[in-house]
Amino acid sequence: MQTIYLDFDNTLVESNKRIIEILNKRYHLNKSENDLSDYYYNSICSKVTKNEIDVIFDSKEFFDGLEFKPLALEIFNKYKDKYEIVITTKGTVDNLELKEQWLRDKLGKEISFLGLSGNPHDKSSVNMKNGIQIDDNSSCLRTNASVRILYRDGHSYPWQKGFTNNNILLVDN
């Protein structure tokens, strides 16, 4: 059975949308993903710090309102018996524990979860040989996966640019 290495944030779930909702509430803003142009949300709120974003990602508030991408759950359920799907994600220890628990609550115990800490853009330590990797960050696609898919979801963020590898497929939906 072939393996799909599926990213969590902004690939399987609406992380940017959720962070922006929280920032809108905290700072009385009216921003959307269309206003996002940087990785740490300063284009949404100039007052926000990287530390505050990290704290939000590690919070119950973040996970309480988190949603799957449209059709993600339907597609996951359609292919979970045809492929081994491994949710492969980066984060802090707390964030990874919350992600895994959220997935188990939503998808059941059958999920395969691989949480990685350290460099936020490096998944090269995972042996994805003969696998399919799907991620929203082009830097995370520096792996040995046989098929690498950059999932842009209709966006063209800075972290989705700058790759020169012709072996990466671009997908918007």
Side-chain angles (χ1 to χ4, degrees), residues 21-74:
E21 289 170 352
I22 292 169
L23 293 176
N24 280 339
K25 183 179 174 185
R26 285 185 183 181
Y27 293 99
H28 309 289
L29 304 170
N30 188 24
K31 301 286 186 157
S32 73
E33 284 185 86
N34 293 332
D35 299 305
L36 184 61
S37 62
D38 66 295
Y39 202 73
Y40 288 106
Y41 303 92
N42 289 119
S43 54
I44 300 300
C45 179
S46 60
K47 298 176 187 178
V48 74
T49 64
K50 179 188 178 306
N51 184 61
E52 183 177 359
I53 295 300
D54 290 343
V55 169
I56 292 171
F57 268 113
D58 289 353
S59 73
K60 185 177 182 313
E61 178 184 19
F62 174 77
F63 287 94
D64 282 347
L66 190 61
E67 301 171 351
F68 284 102
K69 288 277 189 182
L71 301 176
L73 193 53
E74 180 181 326

Side-chain angles (χ1 to χ4, degrees), residues 106-162:
K106 301 291 183 187
L107 301 175
K109 294 181 181 181
E110 77 254 14
I111 65 138
S112 294
F113 182 83
L114 179 57
L116 305 163
S117 59
N119 181 335
H121 306 300
D122 189 3
K123 293 183 179 176
S124 64
S125 64
V126 179
N127 184 0
M128 299 183 192
K129 187 176 181 182
N130 300 321
I132 300 167
Q133 182 188 11
I134 306 171
D135 207 298
D136 71 302
N137 188 322
S138 60
S139 296
C140 292
L141 293 168
R142 295 182 183 131
T143 66
N144 67 343
S146 298
V147 176
R148 289 171 284 169
I149 299 171
L150 177 60
Y151 176 62
R152 296 189 311 182
D153 193 24
H155 300 286
S156 186
Y157 295 124
W159 55 91
Q160 296 173 323
K161 300 176 182 177

